[in-house]
């Protein structure tokens, strides 16, 4: 568990960076009903980078963890959107795989909660 906690911050920093390097893919998963897809992708990427960085510093670990949990909740509609529209994501493994991904958001939240605890 200690290794997972140590990896949580860097994991979110890398995930956030991907929003800037794979922007078009992330834009494709933003639900159609939301405006400004690119801006939302950049904002969520910056949020993950900031939260992941804060998670790695003892003085900011708690606030960074809550920030990441809020970010994970905020991006959950994109996961639901993908599961509702599997035809748009042929390399994802289909509807069953996309539905199976949904509980992983709770697993990521649990990881962040564990990483928030004092070492």
């Amino acid at each position: 568990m200690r290794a997972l906690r140590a990896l949580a911050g860097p994991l979110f920093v890398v995930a956030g960076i991907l929003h800037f390097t794979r922007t078009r893919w992330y834009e494709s998963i933003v639900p159609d009903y939301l405006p400004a897809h690119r801006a939302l992708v950049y904002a969520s990427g910056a949020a993950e980078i900031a939260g992941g960085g804060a998670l790695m510093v003892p003085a900011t670990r708690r606030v960074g963890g809550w920030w990441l949990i809020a970010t994970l909740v905020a991006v959950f509609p994109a996961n639901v959107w993908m599961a509702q529209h599997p035809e748009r994501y042929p390399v994802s493994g289909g509807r069953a795989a996309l539905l199976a991904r949904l509980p992983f958001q709770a697993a990521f939240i649990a990881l962040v909660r564990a990483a928030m605890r004092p070492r």
Side-chain angles (χ1 to χ4, degrees):
M1 184 57 130
R2 177 174 264 166
L4 281 177
R5 285 176 32 177
L7 289 174
L11 171 82
F12 281 99
V13 170
V14 170
I17 290 169
L18 289 174
H19 286 67
F20 295 93
T21 61
R22 308 247 354 249
T23 305
R24 290 176 67 157
W25 183 83
Y26 282 98
E27 284 178 312
S28 77
I29 69 171
V30 175
D32 289 350
Y33 58 83
L34 292 175
H37 288 192
R38 182 161 291 199
L40 290 172
V41 168
Y42 287 159
S44 60
E48 288 184 6
I49 293 168
L55 207 55
M56 292 186 276
V57 179
T60 58
R61 186 172 292 133
R62 274 187 64 76
V63 71
W66 286 116
W67 178 265
L68 283 173
I69 289 169
T71 301
L72 288 165
V73 170
V75 302
F76 187 68
N79 295 324
V80 173
W81 179 262
M82 290 178 71
Q84 290 173 326
H85 303 281
E87 70 282 353
R88 292 185 176 193
Y89 312 100
V91 297
S92 66
R95 182 179 302 272
L98 291 169
L99 287 169
R101 281 184 54 192
L102 295 177
F104 280 100
Q105 208 75 350
F108 289 135
I109 290 171
L111 172 64
V112 170
R113 289 284 293 146
M116 289 168 62
R117 293 188 190 108
R119 305 255 185 235

